[in-house]
Amino acid sequence: MGTQAKPGIRLRAVLISLGILLANILVNGLIFLFFRDSTLNPLLTAVLAVLWGVLGVYLIYYSLTFAAEQYPDKIRGRILPFIFVGPAVLLLGWLLVLPALRTLYLSFFNASSDKFTGLANYAAIFSDRLLGTALRNNLLWVFVGTLACVAFGLLIAILADRSSYERIAKSIIFMPMAISFVAAGVIWKFVYYYQPGDEQIGLLNAIVTYFGGEPQAWTSMIQPWNNFFLILILIWMQTGFAMVIFSAAIKGVPDDILEAARVDGSGEIRIFFRIIIPFISTTILTVTTTIIVFTLKIFDVVMVMTGGQYDTEVVATQFYRQFFMYRNFGYGSTLAIVLLIAVLPVIIVNLRQFRKQGGF
Protein backbone atom coordinates (compact mmCIF):
# COMPACT_ATOMS: atom_id res chain seq x y z
CA MET A 1 0.00 0.00 0.00
CA GLY A 2 2.90 2.34 0.80
CA THR A 3 4.38 2.00 -2.69
CA GLN A 4 0.95 2.62 -4.26
CA ALA A 5 0.31 5.66 -2.10
CA LYS A 6 3.40 7.55 -3.24
CA PRO A 7 2.18 8.29 -6.79
CA GLY A 8 -1.15 9.45 -5.38
CA ILE A 9 0.56 11.72 -2.86
CA ARG A 10 2.80 13.17 -5.54
CA LEU A 11 -0.12 13.74 -7.90
CA ARG A 12 -2.02 15.52 -5.13
CA ALA A 13 1.05 17.67 -4.37
CA VAL A 14 1.44 18.54 -8.06
CA LEU A 15 -2.23 19.51 -8.34
CA ILE A 16 -2.00 21.67 -5.20
CA SER A 17 1.16 23.34 -6.54
CA LEU A 18 -0.44 24.12 -9.90
CA GLY A 19 -3.57 25.44 -8.19
CA ILE A 20 -1.58 27.72 -5.90
CA LEU A 21 0.59 28.95 -8.78
CA LEU A 22 -2.43 29.73 -10.97
CA ALA A 23 -4.23 31.40 -8.04
CA ASN A 24 -1.21 33.66 -7.41
CA ILE A 25 -1.01 34.62 -11.09
CA LEU A 26 -4.76 35.26 -11.31
CA VAL A 27 -5.12 37.23 -8.07
CA ASN A 28 -2.03 39.40 -8.58
CA GLY A 29 -2.90 39.91 -12.24
CA LEU A 30 -6.38 41.16 -11.31
CA ILE A 31 -4.93 43.47 -8.64
CA PHE A 32 -2.47 44.85 -11.19
CA LEU A 33 -5.27 45.53 -13.67
CA PHE A 34 -7.27 47.21 -10.90
CA PHE A 35 -4.41 49.60 -10.09
CA ARG A 36 -3.71 50.23 -13.77
CA ASP A 37 -7.31 51.27 -14.49
CA SER A 38 -8.05 52.77 -11.07
CA THR A 39 -9.65 56.19 -10.72
CA LEU A 40 -9.07 56.36 -6.96
CA ASN A 41 -7.32 59.22 -5.22
CA PRO A 42 -3.57 59.03 -6.07
CA LEU A 43 -2.56 59.04 -2.39
CA LEU A 44 -4.98 56.23 -1.58
CA THR A 45 -3.76 54.31 -4.62
CA ALA A 46 -0.15 54.68 -3.44
CA VAL A 47 -1.02 53.41 0.06
CA LEU A 48 -2.92 50.42 -1.33
CA ALA A 49 -0.09 49.65 -3.74
CA VAL A 50 2.44 49.59 -0.89
CA LEU A 51 0.18 47.29 1.13
CA TRP A 52 -0.24 45.05 -1.89
CA GLY A 53 3.53 44.95 -2.37
CA VAL A 54 4.21 43.92 1.23
CA LEU A 55 1.30 41.54 1.77
CA GLY A 56 1.46 40.20 -1.78
CA VAL A 57 5.08 39.12 -1.46
CA TYR A 58 4.38 37.53 1.92
CA LEU A 59 1.37 35.58 0.59
CA ILE A 60 3.26 34.43 -2.49
CA TYR A 61 6.12 33.01 -0.43
CA TYR A 62 3.75 31.55 2.19
CA SER A 63 1.56 29.82 -0.40
CA LEU A 64 4.51 28.47 -2.38
CA THR A 65 6.14 27.18 0.80
CA PHE A 66 2.86 25.48 1.74
CA ALA A 67 2.82 23.83 -1.70
CA ALA A 68 6.42 22.62 -1.25
CA GLU A 69 5.55 21.06 2.10
CA GLN A 70 3.15 18.68 0.35
CA TYR A 71 6.10 16.82 -1.20
CA PRO A 72 8.37 14.24 0.48
CA ASP A 73 11.40 15.56 2.35
CA LYS A 74 13.88 14.83 -0.44
CA ILE A 75 11.88 16.65 -3.10
CA ARG A 76 10.94 19.48 -0.72
CA GLY A 77 14.62 20.11 0.02
CA ARG A 78 15.25 20.61 -3.68
CA ILE A 79 12.22 22.82 -4.29
CA LEU A 80 12.53 25.29 -1.38
CA PRO A 81 15.73 27.05 -2.61
CA PHE A 82 14.03 27.78 -5.93
CA ILE A 83 10.99 29.18 -4.12
CA PHE A 84 13.07 31.67 -2.16
CA VAL A 85 15.46 32.60 -4.98
CA GLY A 86 13.20 32.05 -8.00
CA PRO A 87 10.95 35.16 -7.73
CA ALA A 88 13.98 37.43 -7.29
CA VAL A 89 15.72 35.82 -10.29
CA LEU A 90 12.58 36.19 -12.42
CA LEU A 91 12.23 39.83 -11.39
CA LEU A 92 15.87 40.56 -12.20
CA GLY A 93 15.49 38.79 -15.52
CA TRP A 94 12.43 40.86 -16.33
CA LEU A 95 13.91 44.19 -15.24
CA LEU A 96 17.56 43.72 -16.27
CA VAL A 97 18.21 40.85 -18.67
CA LEU A 98 15.30 41.40 -21.06
CA PRO A 99 15.92 45.19 -21.35
CA ALA A 100 19.63 44.51 -21.96
CA LEU A 101 18.82 42.04 -24.75
CA ARG A 102 16.32 44.47 -26.28
CA THR A 103 18.91 47.27 -26.12
CA LEU A 104 21.44 45.02 -27.87
CA TYR A 105 18.84 44.28 -30.55
CA LEU A 106 18.06 47.97 -31.09
CA SER A 107 21.75 48.82 -31.42
CA PHE A 108 21.81 47.07 -34.82
CA PHE A 109 19.07 49.33 -36.24
CA ASN A 110 18.81 52.93 -37.39
CA ALA A 111 17.44 55.88 -35.42
CA SER A 112 13.79 54.90 -35.89
CA SER A 113 14.46 51.14 -35.41
CA ASP A 114 12.89 50.23 -38.75
CA LYS A 115 16.02 49.44 -40.78
CA PHE A 116 18.80 46.99 -39.95
CA THR A 117 22.22 48.68 -40.11
CA GLY A 118 24.48 45.96 -38.68
CA LEU A 119 27.58 47.33 -36.98
CA ALA A 120 27.19 50.82 -38.44
CA ASN A 121 26.31 52.36 -35.07
CA TYR A 122 29.32 50.73 -33.42
CA ALA A 123 31.58 52.10 -36.17
CA ALA A 124 30.04 55.57 -35.82
CA ILE A 125 30.71 55.95 -32.10
CA PHE A 126 34.49 55.77 -32.61
CA SER A 127 34.39 58.74 -34.99
CA ASP A 128 32.10 60.87 -32.82
CA ARG A 129 33.97 63.82 -31.29
CA LEU A 130 31.45 64.17 -28.45
CA LEU A 131 31.84 60.52 -27.55
CA GLY A 132 35.61 60.99 -27.48
CA THR A 133 35.13 63.78 -24.96
CA ALA A 134 32.70 61.62 -22.98
CA LEU A 135 35.14 58.70 -22.86
CA ARG A 136 37.97 60.99 -21.78
CA ASN A 137 35.83 62.40 -18.99
CA ASN A 138 34.75 58.92 -17.89
CA LEU A 139 38.42 57.95 -17.61
CA LEU A 140 39.00 61.04 -15.45
CA TRP A 141 36.13 59.98 -13.20
CA VAL A 142 37.46 56.42 -13.00
CA PHE A 143 41.10 57.22 -12.22
CA VAL A 144 40.89 60.46 -10.23
CA GLY A 145 37.59 59.73 -8.47
CA THR A 146 38.39 56.13 -7.55
CA LEU A 147 41.96 56.85 -6.46
CA ALA A 148 40.89 59.77 -4.28
CA CYS A 149 37.97 57.90 -2.68
CA VAL A 150 40.11 54.87 -1.85
CA ALA A 151 43.07 56.95 -0.61
CA PHE A 152 41.01 59.31 1.55
CA GLY A 153 38.79 56.49 2.81
CA LEU A 154 41.82 54.45 3.86
CA LEU A 155 43.56 57.45 5.45
CA ILE A 156 40.47 58.49 7.43
CA ALA A 157 39.84 54.89 8.53
CA ILE A 158 43.40 54.62 9.90
CA LEU A 159 43.30 57.99 11.65
CA ALA A 160 39.79 57.52 13.06
CA ASP A 161 40.76 54.09 14.40
CA ARG A 162 43.36 55.79 16.59
CA SER A 163 41.11 58.66 17.69
CA SER A 164 38.93 58.95 20.78
CA TYR A 165 36.31 60.68 18.60
CA GLU A 166 36.08 57.76 16.17
CA ARG A 167 32.27 57.48 16.12
CA ILE A 168 31.67 61.21 15.67
CA ALA A 169 34.29 61.51 12.93
CA LYS A 170 32.98 58.50 11.03
CA SER A 171 29.39 59.70 11.31
CA ILE A 172 30.27 63.08 9.81
CA ILE A 173 32.30 61.56 6.96
CA PHE A 174 29.63 58.94 6.23
CA MET A 175 26.73 61.43 6.33
CA PRO A 176 26.85 62.33 2.57
CA MET A 177 26.09 58.67 1.79
CA ALA A 178 22.61 59.24 3.18
CA ILE A 179 21.61 61.50 0.27
CA SER A 180 21.22 60.75 -3.42
CA PHE A 181 23.53 61.91 -6.20
CA VAL A 182 20.79 64.26 -7.42
CA ALA A 183 20.50 65.90 -4.00
CA ALA A 184 24.29 66.15 -3.79
CA GLY A 185 24.33 67.83 -7.20
CA VAL A 186 21.78 70.41 -6.05
CA ILE A 187 23.78 71.12 -2.87
CA TRP A 188 27.06 71.56 -4.74
CA LYS A 189 25.39 73.63 -7.43
CA PHE A 190 24.85 76.26 -4.74
CA VAL A 191 28.44 75.81 -3.55
CA TYR A 192 29.78 76.51 -7.07
CA TYR A 193 27.11 79.07 -7.98
CA TYR A 194 28.38 82.10 -9.92
CA GLN A 195 26.71 85.35 -10.92
CA PRO A 196 28.28 88.45 -12.47
CA GLY A 197 28.97 91.26 -10.05
CA ASP A 198 30.38 91.67 -6.59
CA GLU A 199 27.63 89.94 -4.62
CA GLN A 200 28.04 86.16 -4.61
CA ILE A 201 25.65 83.69 -3.00
CA GLY A 202 27.74 80.64 -3.95
CA LEU A 203 29.79 79.43 -0.97
CA LEU A 204 33.05 78.96 -2.87
CA ASN A 205 32.88 82.33 -4.65
CA ALA A 206 31.88 84.04 -1.41
CA ILE A 207 35.05 82.69 0.21
CA VAL A 208 37.16 83.69 -2.80
CA THR A 209 35.82 87.26 -2.89
CA TYR A 210 36.17 87.59 0.91
CA PHE A 211 39.92 87.06 0.54
CA GLY A 212 40.13 89.50 -2.37
CA GLY A 213 39.96 87.03 -5.26
CA GLU A 214 37.84 87.12 -8.40
CA PRO A 215 34.69 84.97 -8.54
CA GLN A 216 34.73 82.18 -11.12
CA ALA A 217 32.16 80.10 -12.99
CA TRP A 218 33.73 76.91 -11.66
CA THR A 219 31.67 74.39 -13.63
CA SER A 220 31.52 76.20 -16.98
CA MET A 221 34.34 78.64 -17.72
CA ILE A 222 37.26 76.83 -16.13
CA GLN A 223 37.84 74.01 -18.63
CA PRO A 224 38.90 71.21 -18.43
CA TRP A 225 39.28 71.72 -14.67
CA ASN A 226 35.52 71.90 -14.27
CA ASN A 227 35.45 68.10 -14.50
CA PHE A 228 37.59 67.92 -11.38
CA PHE A 229 35.11 70.13 -9.52
CA LEU A 230 32.38 67.64 -10.43
CA ILE A 231 34.56 64.68 -9.41
CA LEU A 232 34.97 66.34 -6.02
CA ILE A 233 31.26 65.67 -5.42
CA LEU A 234 31.81 61.93 -5.95
CA ILE A 235 34.77 62.02 -3.55
CA TRP A 236 32.63 63.84 -0.96
CA MET A 237 29.97 61.13 -1.20
CA GLN A 238 31.90 57.89 -1.66
CA THR A 239 34.79 58.49 0.75
CA GLY A 240 32.45 57.62 3.63
CA PHE A 241 31.57 54.31 1.98
CA ALA A 242 35.25 53.42 1.52
CA MET A 243 36.06 54.53 5.07
CA VAL A 244 33.42 52.28 6.67
CA ILE A 245 34.51 49.18 4.73
CA PHE A 246 38.21 49.83 5.37
CA SER A 247 37.60 50.52 9.06
CA ALA A 248 35.88 47.16 9.48
CA ALA A 249 38.75 45.41 7.66
CA ILE A 250 41.43 47.18 9.72
CA LYS A 251 39.75 46.12 12.95
CA GLY A 252 40.09 42.55 11.72
CA VAL A 253 43.89 42.74 11.65
CA PRO A 254 45.13 40.57 14.58
CA ASP A 255 46.46 42.69 17.44
CA ASP A 256 49.21 40.19 18.26
CA ILE A 257 50.77 40.68 14.80
CA LEU A 258 50.76 44.47 15.23
CA GLU A 259 52.21 44.24 18.73
CA ALA A 260 54.92 41.85 17.56
CA ALA A 261 55.89 44.28 14.79
CA ARG A 262 56.07 47.17 17.27
CA VAL A 263 58.21 45.11 19.64
CA ASP A 264 60.59 44.39 16.75
CA GLY A 265 61.02 48.14 16.29
CA SER A 266 58.79 48.73 13.26
CA GLY A 267 57.31 52.21 12.95
CA GLU A 268 53.64 52.88 12.28
CA ILE A 269 54.26 53.77 8.63
CA ARG A 270 56.14 50.53 8.03
CA ILE A 271 53.41 48.55 9.83
CA PHE A 272 50.81 50.24 7.66
CA PHE A 273 52.50 49.34 4.36
CA ARG A 274 53.98 45.95 5.34
CA ILE A 275 51.18 44.47 7.49
CA ILE A 276 47.88 46.34 7.28
CA ILE A 277 47.83 46.93 3.52
CA PRO A 278 48.61 43.27 2.59
CA PHE A 279 46.10 42.04 5.17
CA ILE A 280 43.23 44.13 3.78
CA SER A 281 44.31 43.96 0.10
CA THR A 282 41.21 41.98 -0.91
CA THR A 283 38.99 44.60 0.73
CA ILE A 284 40.85 47.38 -1.09
CA LEU A 285 40.28 45.58 -4.40
CA THR A 286 36.57 45.12 -3.66
CA VAL A 287 36.06 48.77 -2.71
CA THR A 288 38.06 49.95 -5.72
CA THR A 289 36.07 47.89 -8.22
CA THR A 290 32.79 48.96 -6.62
CA ILE A 291 33.65 52.66 -6.93
CA ILE A 292 34.87 52.10 -10.51
CA VAL A 293 31.42 50.80 -11.39
CA PHE A 294 29.89 53.96 -9.84
CA THR A 295 32.20 56.21 -11.86
CA LEU A 296 31.60 54.38 -15.14
CA LYS A 297 27.84 54.80 -14.71
CA ILE A 298 27.99 58.38 -13.43
CA PHE A 299 25.05 60.41 -14.68
CA ASP A 300 23.11 62.22 -11.97
CA VAL A 301 25.79 64.67 -10.84
CA VAL A 302 26.76 65.72 -14.35
CA MET A 303 23.14 66.09 -15.46
CA VAL A 304 22.18 68.22 -12.46
CA MET A 305 25.31 70.39 -12.45
CA THR A 306 25.97 71.08 -16.14
CA GLY A 307 23.64 68.93 -18.22
CA GLY A 308 26.76 67.59 -19.96
CA GLN A 309 27.70 71.05 -21.30
CA TYR A 310 31.08 72.78 -21.14
CA ASP A 311 33.01 69.59 -22.06
CA THR A 312 31.68 67.68 -19.04
CA GLU A 313 29.82 65.09 -21.13
CA VAL A 314 30.09 61.45 -19.99
CA VAL A 315 28.88 58.31 -21.73
CA ALA A 316 25.68 58.07 -19.67
CA THR A 317 24.63 61.67 -20.41
CA GLN A 318 25.44 61.19 -24.09
CA PHE A 319 23.26 58.07 -24.08
CA TYR A 320 20.40 59.97 -22.42
CA ARG A 321 20.69 62.79 -24.93
CA GLN A 322 20.73 60.50 -27.97
CA PHE A 323 18.01 58.12 -26.83
CA PHE A 324 15.50 60.33 -25.03
CA MET A 325 16.07 63.81 -26.48
CA TYR A 326 17.12 63.16 -30.08
CA ARG A 327 15.09 59.91 -30.30
CA ASN A 328 18.04 58.19 -32.00
CA PHE A 329 17.26 54.74 -30.60
CA GLY A 330 19.91 52.86 -32.55
CA TYR A 331 22.84 55.09 -31.60
CA GLY A 332 21.59 55.55 -28.03
CA SER A 333 21.28 51.79 -27.57
CA THR A 334 24.81 51.35 -28.89
CA LEU A 335 26.13 53.76 -26.27
CA ALA A 336 24.31 51.80 -23.57
CA ILE A 337 25.90 48.55 -24.78
CA VAL A 338 29.35 50.17 -24.84
CA LEU A 339 28.81 51.29 -21.24
CA LEU A 340 27.67 47.77 -20.30
CA ILE A 341 30.78 46.25 -21.91
CA ALA A 342 32.96 48.69 -19.95
CA VAL A 343 31.29 47.78 -16.64
CA LEU A 344 31.20 43.99 -17.12
CA PRO A 345 34.94 43.25 -16.57
CA VAL A 346 34.89 45.21 -13.30
CA ILE A 347 31.79 43.35 -12.12
CA ILE A 348 33.39 39.99 -13.00
CA VAL A 349 36.50 40.88 -10.98
CA ASN A 350 34.28 41.88 -8.06
CA LEU A 351 32.29 38.63 -8.21
CA ARG A 352 35.46 36.54 -8.29
CA GLN A 353 36.74 38.44 -5.28
CA PHE A 354 33.49 37.76 -3.39
CA ARG A 355 33.80 34.08 -4.27
CA LYS A 356 37.36 33.94 -2.92
CA GLN A 357 36.12 35.52 0.31
CA GLY A 358 33.39 32.90 0.57
CA GLY A 359 30.57 35.31 -0.25
CA PHE A 360 28.87 32.70 -2.41
Side-chain angles (χ1 to χ4, degrees):
M1 290 295 293
T3 57
Q4 293 179 354
K6 285 185 178 179
I9 294 174
R10 291 180 180 178
L11 178 60
R12 176 175 172 274
V14 170
L15 292 176
I16 291 175
S17 301
L18 290 175
I20 289 176
L21 184 61
L22 291 174
N24 276 306
I25 295 174
L26 179 62
V27 171
N28 287 284
L30 291 174
I31 295 175
F32 171 78
L33 293 175
F34 168 76
F35 281 114
R36 188 190 67 179
D37 304 327
S38 174
T39 57
L40 296 175
N41 181 278
L43 181 59
L44 178 60
T45 302
V47 172
L48 292 176
V50 171
L51 290 175
W52 172 46
V54 175
L55 296 177
V57 170
Y58 173 78
L59 291 175
I60 288 173
Y61 277 104
Y62 179 82
S63 60
L64 293 178
T65 304
F66 173 78
E69 290 176 351
Q70 308 304 312
Y71 292 91
D73 292 343
K74 186 176 181 180
I75 299 177
R76 182 170 64 248
R78 294 178 179 178
I79 293 176
L80 282 175
F82 290 98
I83 290 177
F84 287 104
V85 178
V89 172
L90 290 175
L91 189 62
L92 287 174
W94 182 30
L95 297 178
L96 295 179
V97 178
L98 290 181
L101 293 176
R102 184 175 181 273
T103 302
L104 178 64
Y105 173 78
L106 291 176
S107 68
F108 297 113
F109 287 81
N110 64 350
S112 55
S113 304
D114 57 5
K115 183 180 178 181
F116 182 77
T117 59
L119 298 175
N121 289 322
Y122 290 91
I125 63 175
F126 293 104
S127 59
D128 189 339
R129 182 188 64 82
L130 287 177
L131 184 63
T133 302
L135 290 172
R136 180 203 68 190
N137 291 336
N138 264 113
L139 289 176
L140 277 177
W141 281 86
V142 168
F143 287 108
V144 177
T146 304
L147 180 62
C149 288
V150 172
F152 286 132
L154 188 56
L155 178 62
I156 295 170
I158 288 289
L159 295 177
D161 191 54
R162 290 163 168 74
S163 172
S164 57
Y165 300 100
E166 179 182 1
R167 292 183 179 180
I168 298 175
K170 287 182 177 179
S171 298
I172 295 173
I173 299 298
F174 188 77
M175 199 175 295
M177 282 289 296
I179 62 176
S180 66
F181 275 102
V182 173
V186 172
I187 292 170
W188 281 84
K189 196 166 186 176
F190 283 104
V191 173
Y192 293 141
Y193 187 81
Y194 165 80
Q195 63 182 11
D198 296 331
E199 186 176 352
Q200 298 294 326
I201 65 170
L203 177 62
L204 185 56
N205 276 322
I207 295 173
V208 169
T209 54
Y210 178 81
F211 287 102
E214 291 293 327
Q216 302 289 336
W218 304 100
T219 58
S220 57
M221 293 177 61
I222 305 179
Q223 301 174 15
W225 297 102
N226 52 355
N227 285 288
F228 292 99
F229 291 118
L230 298 184
I231 294 172
L232 182 61
I233 303 172
L234 172 81
I235 298 170
W236 178 68
M237 293 192 68
Q238 294 299 314
T239 296
F241 162 74
M243 174 204 66
V244 169
I245 305 299
F246 288 145
S247 180
I250 290 170
K251 291 184 183 299
V253 179
D255 291 333
D256 53 349
I257 296 178
L258 300 176
E259 291 299 327
R262 292 188 181 101
V263 170
D264 290 340
S266 298
E268 293 299 324
I269 296 178
R270 189 173 183 181
I271 290 174
F272 175 74
F273 285 104
R274 294 294 182 88
I275 297 177
I276 296 178
I277 291 294
F279 195 89
I280 66 171
S281 59
T282 55
T283 304
I284 293 175
L285 179 60
T286 301
V287 172
T288 301
T289 52
T290 302
I291 297 177
I292 286 175
V293 172
F294 285 147
T295 55
L296 286 172
K297 300 187 302 178
I298 197 70
F299 170 79
D300 316 63
V301 170
V302 178
M303 206 65 191
V304 171
M305 297 292 293
T306 65
Q309 301 179 80
Y310 317 115
D311 285 338
T312 60
E313 193 89 66
V314 290
V315 176
T317 57
Q318 181 70 0
F319 155 73
Y320 173 82
R321 200 180 306 281
Q322 292 290 337
F323 198 95
F324 294 103
M325 297 178 66
Y326 304 153
R327 312 299 288 177
N328 189 343
F329 301 121
Y331 194 80
S333 299
T334 305
L335 289 172
I337 294 299
V338 169
L339 188 59
L340 177 63
I341 293 173
V343 170
L344 275 178
V346 184
I347 294 176
I348 291 172
V349 171
N350 224 348
L351 292 176
R352 287 181 176 177
Q353 195 61 39
F354 279 134
R355 182 172 296 175
K356 287 181 182 179
Q357 295 175 352
F360 56 88

